[in-house]
Amino acid sequence: MVSSDQLSLWFLAFCLIFQSTNGFYLPGSYPHKYLVGDELSVKVNSLTSIDTEIPFSYYSLPFCKPPGGVKDSAENLGELLMGDRIENSPYRFKMYTNESEIFLCRLDSLSADQFKILKERIDEMYQVNLILDNLPAIRFTQKDGYFLRWTGYPVGVKVQDAYYLFNHLKFNVLVHKYEEPNVARVMGTGYAVEVIPTVGKGESELPGYMVVGFEVIACGVVHNIDSAKNLKMYDKYPSPLKCDPTTVGMQIKEGQPLAFTYEVTFEESDIKWPSRWDAYLKMEGSKVHWFSILNSLMVITFLAGIVLVILLRTVRRDLTHYEELDKEAQAQMNEELSGWKLVVGDVFRAPSNPSLLCIMVGDGVQILGMAVVTILFAALGFMSPASRGTLITGMLFFYMILGVAAGYVAVRLWRTISCSDQKGWFSVAWRAACFFPGIAFLILTTLNFLLWGSHSTGAIPFSLFVILILLWFCISVPLTLFGGYLGARAKHIKYPVRTNQIPREIPAQKYPSWLLVLGAGTLPFGTLFIELFFIMSSIWMGRVYYVFGFLFVVLILLVVVCAEVSLVLTYMHLCVEDWRWWWKSFFASGSVAMYIFLYSINYLVFDLKNLSGPVSASVYLGYSLFMVLAIMLATGTVGFLSSFSFVYYLFSSVKLD
């Protein structure tokens, strides 16, 4: 029996732990307290452009470098794969201390190469991305009476064949008073006050602030180079500087000297720390997302009605009538009737290339499971935009772990098709572990050579390539083989009917069956294409996608539509005595990938019409092909498994000798 004193001690220990942790925060979301005068360091990310989709290092341009040299920040696997290269910068502030006319550095003469690369980056509309306390710099522009938000600022601007550089930055940092939770003072009662140490006066009593906003205005200012000759970094520029973003002032030419300056102001804001990302994630077009879901529900309802008619009226009526007949009447009826009942001896005949089908279904289960788990975690807030790269890192982690499911499904399906033959399961599991990752590795390697040739930060470093290969062969492959071993040990699925030795002749069809299979992908695409626009805009237009709750609902609806479409088409093929349903059920729902790829080309032509250069187009099409392959495997797997379950249920209800 636990005494009351022991319970009190456990309660006090819990309070101590709770006080020491000051609450629970998701990764990347812990508030940082800055005292007045504390140094704030600004970091720089890769230069990006929606015109090329090829990122470059910030210091590939003749910008000022920090006094201690350029240093890379610690980056996770997802950030490196996304092309982020976060480095330190010379910009530094003091908390709640306004400063103006701060001199950074000067360039005595702009060389021909520097002038050329600046012109190229301005022509290609590259943006400079700065980060303060994990918040990207944001700028506001006004157009037609509306305020538009942009992350980063342009390198410069071209006006009438003249190039102007933004060499003066005006920062505005929004801060909010730090609110430190003090659990001990709230919960300390009785003798507990003597045990739980309350926070005494000291550093915690000093006024602290949190960064809740980071705004930037980029200007072009003509400096007096003679006045800046004797200035050192962070000295005050001798004359006042006027920052007017509506005018351009600093025209660049070859051989011309350059100087860089900045100013910073601090503004106390009512924005609380949990809401500081609202400026980046402001909900726009929520009605469009709801329309997408309602559109999907209408398609699902329509298909569900067809499935219900098939199961309750057609199939049930046929089965009931069939079972009421005696054996002689059944034999006579078989000679007179046509339809799915006549293919009972061929419906489970092994398809062509059965091992390839098993491998694709196994990989599809792995990809679908990864998508469901990743989007669910993202919807719950564990992969917020504040945690850069966690989405890609999480996808890789879940994909590797779910290799067990891929091996199990591939081998067990292979054993079912081959009628419990246990030989060769290792080969099936090995190919399942290498099929999709091998194609992905081939695509990424080809694109990487193109990006390496362009000196882009989007190119995966060689060390990261080695890490990915090690993750593949040291974690993913062994887990897939282990899943295959479990699949080989599990009982195979026994067919409810026997397969005839001689295949039944398939009657001539009025129309090609594959035409109907390819056309079936339009229904799943109809449930997805609205949300697909927002996803494509997030990937290629630099917009932040965060409505993972909507995406999770759309994913579930897509799975349901794929299952229903494949089931209906399988039944239609069986009704015309076509027993070759295996591959057709896979591609009936998997053909949605073809329409997504066509949509990607449409997006390239009409939304990314300014995309310049063959390298940019190749990168876009390469990643689109990679995405489409993954979608085809996942949706095709849903269609095949639903059709297999339907056919198994249908023919297990038929009583035969």
Side-chain angles (χ1 to χ4, degrees), residues 382-536:
F382 286 92
M383 299 176 183
S384 68
S387 305
R388 290 180 183 83
T390 53
L391 188 65
I392 302 296
T393 306
M395 291 174 68
L396 283 173
F397 174 77
F398 293 129
Y399 180 82
M400 289 187 298
I401 296 300
L402 288 169
V404 177
Y408 179 84
V409 172
V411 171
R412 192 172 185 198
L413 179 60
W414 174 78
R415 285 192 62 211
T416 299
I417 294 176
S418 60
C419 299
S420 188
D421 185 7
Q422 292 190 357
K423 295 180 180 179
W425 70 266
F426 184 87
S427 174
V428 174
W430 169 259
R431 284 183 285 173
C434 298
F435 179 73
F436 177 72
I439 297 176
F441 184 79
L442 180 63
I443 294 175
L444 291 178
T445 303
T446 304
L447 297 179
N448 221 46
F449 278 118
L450 295 176
L451 294 172
W452 269 336
S454 302
H455 305 286
S456 169
T457 59
I460 301 175
F462 179 76
S463 58
L464 183 58
F465 246 112
V466 175
I467 292 174
L468 291 175
I469 293 175
L470 290 175
L471 290 175
W472 178 11
F473 285 101
C474 296
I475 297 179
S476 181
V477 170
L479 288 176
T480 307
L481 294 177
F482 176 69
Y485 172 76
L486 296 179
R489 299 274 295 178
K491 292 183 178 180
H492 73 284
I493 302 172
K494 294 183 179 180
Y495 294 144
V497 293
R498 290 179 296 181
T499 302
N500 296 334
Q501 293 184 353
I502 302 175
R504 180 184 179 86
E505 184 179 355
I506 300 173
Q509 308 296 324
K510 295 180 180 179
Y511 49 84
S513 59
W514 282 104
L515 187 64
L516 189 61
V517 169
L518 295 178
T522 55
L523 290 174
F525 179 74
T527 68
L528 181 68
F529 80 98
I530 295 178
E531 206 65 31
L532 187 63
F533 170 78
F534 292 96
I535 296 173
M536 299 286 281

Side-chain angles (χ1 to χ4, degrees), residues 302-313:
F302 172 72
L303 291 173
I306 297 177
V307 174
L308 199 63
V309 169
I310 292 174
L311 292 178
L312 296 185
R313 295 190 60 184

Side-chain angles (χ1 to χ4, degrees), residues 175-470:
V175 296
H176 187 82
K177 281 190 176 180
Y178 185 82
E179 300 171 357
E180 184 174 7
N182 190 354
V183 181
R185 292 179 180 176
V186 176
M187 302 185 67
T189 56
Y191 63 86
V193 178
E194 301 176 0
V195 179
I196 303 178
T198 57
V199 180
K201 292 184 179 181
E203 183 179 309
S204 62
E205 295 294 332
L206 297 176
Y209 295 91
M210 301 173 292
V211 176
V212 295
F214 184 36
E215 301 170 359
V216 62
I217 298 175
C219 310
V221 176
V222 179
H223 297 90
N224 187 338
I225 299 300
D226 294 333
S227 302
K229 279 186 177 180
N230 298 323
L231 293 179
K232 297 181 180 179
M233 186 174 286
Y234 307 121
D235 285 348
K236 189 174 179 64
Y237 191 75
S239 57
L241 300 173
K242 184 180 180 182
C243 180
D244 185 3
T246 61
T247 61
V248 290
M250 186 57 200
Q251 183 178 357
I252 56 173
K253 298 177 181 178
E254 184 178 340
Q256 180 183 7
L258 286 177
F260 294 88
T261 53
Y262 73 95
E263 58 185 286
V264 57
T265 57
F266 286 83
E267 177 184 346
E268 193 163 346
S269 172
D270 294 331
I271 300 173
K272 293 191 176 181
W273 189 86
S275 304
R276 67 178 193 158
W277 276 87
D278 288 358
Y280 307 87
L281 309 178
K282 188 172 179 60
M283 187 67 171
E284 295 177 354
S286 59
K287 293 182 179 179
V288 178
H289 293 280
W290 283 115
F291 174 77
S292 173
I293 291 176
L294 291 175
N295 175 57
S296 304
L297 287 174
M298 291 179 64
V299 175
I300 284 178
T301 304
F302 172 72
L303 291 173
I306 297 177
V307 174
L308 199 63
V309 169
I310 292 174
L311 292 178
L312 296 185
R313 295 190 60 184
T314 308
V315 176
R316 276 295 179 188
R317 184 186 61 195
D318 289 352
L319 287 175
T320 303
H321 179 62
Y322 194 79
E323 291 172 359
E324 289 176 352
L325 301 175
D326 55 19
K327 295 181 180 179
E328 294 182 1
Q330 286 181 13
Q332 182 179 359
M333 187 178 180
N334 286 340
E335 296 177 359
E336 299 174 355
L337 291 180
S338 62
W340 60 269
K341 294 176 286 297
L342 295 183
V343 297
V344 65
D346 298 273
V347 70
F348 289 109
R349 189 176 301 280
S352 58
N353 298 317
S355 60
L356 178 61
L357 178 63
C358 298
I359 291 165
M360 294 175 70
V361 170
D363 283 352
V365 168
Q366 186 178 11
I367 294 170
L368 181 64
M370 174 205 68
V372 171
V373 177
T374 303
I375 295 174
L376 179 61
F377 271 83
L380 294 175
F382 286 92
M383 299 176 183
S384 68
S387 305
R388 290 180 183 83
T390 53
L391 188 65
I392 302 296
T393 306
M395 291 174 68
L396 283 173
F397 174 77
F398 293 129
Y399 180 82
M400 289 187 298
I401 296 300
L402 288 169
V404 177
Y408 179 84
V409 172
V411 171
R412 192 172 185 198
L413 179 60
W414 174 78
R415 285 192 62 211
T416 299
I417 294 176
S418 60
C419 299
S420 188
D421 185 7
Q422 292 190 357
K423 295 180 180 179
W425 70 266
F426 184 87
S427 174
V428 174
W430 169 259
R431 284 183 285 173
C434 298
F435 179 73
F436 177 72
I439 297 176
F441 184 79
L442 180 63
I443 294 175
L444 291 178
T445 303
T446 304
L447 297 179
N448 221 46
F449 278 118
L450 295 176
L451 294 172
W452 269 336
S454 302
H455 305 286
S456 169
T457 59
I460 301 175
F462 179 76
S463 58
L464 183 58
F465 246 112
V466 175
I467 292 174
L468 291 175
I469 293 175
L470 290 175

